[in-house]
Every structure is written in C-alpha cells, then in structure tokens.
Amino acid sequence: MAKQPQPISPLKNFFAGGFGGVCLVFVGHPLDTIKVRLQTQPKPQPGQAPLYSGTFDCFRKTLVGEGVHGLYRGMAAPIIGVTPMFAVCFFGFGLGKRLQQRKPDDVLTYPQLFAAGMLSGVFTTVIMAPGERIKCLLQIQAATGETKYSGSLDCAKQLYREAGIRGVYKGTVLTLMRDVPASGMYFMTYEWLKNILTPEGKSVSDLSVPRILFAGGLAGIFNWAVAIPPDVLKSRFQTAPAGKYPNGFRDVLRELIREEGVASLYKGFTAVMIRAFPANAACFLGFEVAMKFLNWVAPGL
C-alpha cells in the first residue's frame, strides 16, 4: 500500500471537502433530478404507459417541457447544504482516520478506512436529511404540474409549519441507512484506487489529474452500488403525503416489493450511474486541488 500523506488534518479536510461538494453539485444535479423523478413517478393505471419509460425519456421530457432550468430544479437546497455537508463529510473522514492512528505516521488498513468513511456518513446526516427532503419535493412538484413551493426556503417554512422539525427531518433513518455503509465504501474505494494508481516510489499526493478523476469517479460508482436501494426507499418516503407510511421504511419496502417487485429498489439506476462518475470525479478533483492550495497557504493548519 502506498503511503498516505501525513499528518492527517481534519480541518483542512473540512474546507477542501466543502469545495469538492460544490463541484459535485454543479456537475451532477441534472441527473439527480432525473433519478428522483424516476424513483417517485406514480404507478401507471392498467393499460396506461408510465409517465417516464426510462432515464433518457425522462431527460427528454424534462428538457422539452421545462428547458435546462428544469434539470437544475431544486439545486438551491443542495448548494446551500452541500458546502457544509461535504465539509463535514470530509472532516468526519479525516477525524475517523486520525482517531485510528496511534502515531501520526501510521498507515491505515482498508477496513480502518471503511470505518472512517462510515463515521463521515453519520456526521453528514444532520445536514443531508433536510436538504434531501426539500430537494426531492421541489424536483417532483414540476412533474406533477402543481406549484406548492416557490423555492427551497418556502418549502422548509411550509414543512416546519405543517409538522415542526420532524417534518423537515422526515427520512433521517433512511438517510443514515443509505449514507453510513455507502460512505464507508466511497472513501475506502477512493483511497484504494489512489494507492494502486500511484507509481512505485511516488506519493499519492503527486497523482495526475486523469488518475484522480478516474479514482474519484469509480469511488462514486461503488458508493451508489451500495446506496441505491435505501435511496429509493428514502425518496419515496420523503415525498409521500403525511401518514401514508405509518411504520416508516418498512411500509415503503413492503409496498414497493408487493406492487413493483424487487427491481423497483433499483429505479433510477441508469441515471445514478451516469451521474456518479463525472460528479464524484469533479468532487475529488476539487477536494485535491483545494487541499494542495491549503497545504501551500497554511501548511501548519
């Protein structure tokens, strides 16, 4: 295993992760919109065609009906939340690595990197759950033809007025179920790929841009391979009317399996996988560029 850059600085991870998250949203939000619309489209009546026949049909209808703006609908919520969320995510990963080191020059094993990644998933849920709830509601309202929310802030206000803080944080358990194992896979895969892509005798910090993009993009693929089933349940649960699923994700799971089969847990798979590579490649490239800048301007941070 190639040596990791030492020492680990959770604070630098915090700032660099925030910048990486902004890069991810700008690249990946259009396909995230497609993913959510596919996951939450109503079941067609007998003899009727579904609203969207697949990823490319959803993309075409959104673009024709709403223009490019439709693909970026609901982006204000993740942009507002993504900087602190990814900052906290990368901070949690850095802290998880630091906590497992007995000495500053200890090189962590892959299970230890997976554990550090899982900690980052716990850290981000506080920000991720309400941001995802607002984003999903805004992404589907245009497809239904209703305009209940004028924007992210109006959506948050209405949710709080209707059900208090629990309404804003609806879907938190499912967000944890998605992000804790997926984040472990995400960071472990990225570190593993960086190590195997590092030439003999070189440092992982000297990786070329194409190799960073490849490692980050593939880490995103591995992340979503783990995250898609709980993400489908989360999207359904967070956009459902109040009281529809009194037993939480168990009711969502039973309904999906009963009405649409196991394959329904992988709705939006194509959109997710098309989005995962470029979005996460941009995220990790942004992180690495920001980290190099921070090491240059504040080496003792």
Side-chain angles (χ1 to χ4, degrees):
M1 181 186 295
K3 275 208 163 189
Q4 301 161 18
Q6 305 295 337
I8 295 165
S9 172
L11 192 57
K12 285 181 182 175
N13 274 30
F14 179 86
F15 292 113
F19 181 71
V22 172
C23 295
L24 179 143
V25 171
F26 273 112
V27 173
H29 190 79
L31 279 161
D32 186 71
T33 298
I34 301 303
K35 177 204 71 169
V36 170
R37 290 187 176 185
L38 286 170
Q39 289 176 344
T40 58
Q41 67 175 320
K43 184 183 178 184
Q45 296 297 319
Q48 290 186 345
L51 183 60
Y52 307 115
S53 62
T55 298
F56 297 104
D57 182 54
C58 184
F59 182 87
R60 182 183 60 80
K61 287 179 177 176
T62 301
L63 199 59
V64 170
E66 303 167 54
V68 175
H69 175 71
L71 295 171
Y72 282 91
R73 195 172 299 278
M75 194 176 76
I79 280 289
I80 292 168
V82 81
T83 301
M85 188 270 290
F86 267 82
V88 168
C89 176
F90 278 83
F91 172 82
F93 179 58
L95 181 62
K97 290 196 291 183
R98 173 78 72 82
L99 289 173
Q100 295 181 89
Q101 287 183 312
R102 295 184 180 181
K103 302 189 297 292
D105 60 347
D106 281 350
V107 177
L108 299 181
T109 64
Y110 292 121
Q112 287 176 314
L113 291 169
F114 186 86
M118 287 198 298
L119 181 64
S120 77
V122 175
F123 271 55
T124 56
T125 298
V126 173
I127 301 169
M128 178 70 87
E132 287 273 301
R133 170 102 154 111
I134 293 165
K135 172 181 71 67
C136 289
L137 288 170
L138 289 173
Q139 285 173 326
I140 67 166
Q141 81 165 358
T144 63
E146 300 177 3
T147 310
K148 183 178 180 181
Y149 310 111
S150 61
S152 299
L153 188 58
D154 179 56
C155 182
K157 286 179 179 177
Q158 288 195 48
L159 290 173
Y160 185 79
R161 195 182 306 124
E162 291 167 4
I165 197 68
R166 292 186 66 179
V168 178
Y169 274 87
K170 182 179 179 180
T172 298
V173 172
L174 279 164
T175 305
L176 276 169
M177 289 172 61
R178 181 192 70 178
D179 288 351
V180 170
S183 294
M185 180 64 73
Y186 186 54
F187 284 107
M188 183 188 72
T189 302
Y190 180 63
E191 296 288 340
W192 167 63
L193 288 168
K194 281 206 304 180
N195 285 326
I196 65 173
L197 290 171
T198 300
E200 192 68 32
K202 298 285 187 178
S203 169
V204 290
S205 60
D206 297 326
L207 272 183
S208 65
V209 168
R211 293 186 181 201
I212 290 170
L213 289 171
F214 178 77
L218 209 55
I221 296 288
F222 276 75
N223 169 81
W224 278 104
V226 173
I228 286 178
D231 185 64
V232 172
L233 298 178
K234 179 196 69 65
S235 294
R236 281 292 183 107
F237 184 68
Q238 286 186 319
T239 58
K244 181 175 181 181
Y245 301 116
N247 296 311
F249 73 90
R250 289 172 294 177
D251 284 351
V252 188
L253 180 62
R254 276 195 291 263
E255 180 186 84
L256 276 172
I257 298 297
R258 183 179 66 250
E259 296 184 358
E260 302 177 48
V262 175
S264 64
L265 293 173
Y266 287 88
K267 275 191 172 184
F269 179 85
T270 304
V272 167
M273 289 306 171
I274 292 172
R275 170 186 179 267
F277 193 96
N280 288 284
C283 175
F284 276 109
L285 180 61
F287 170 79
E288 296 291 356
V289 168
M291 186 64 81
K292 286 191 175 184
F293 177 75
L294 289 170
N295 286 334
W296 177 60
V297 298
L301 186 65

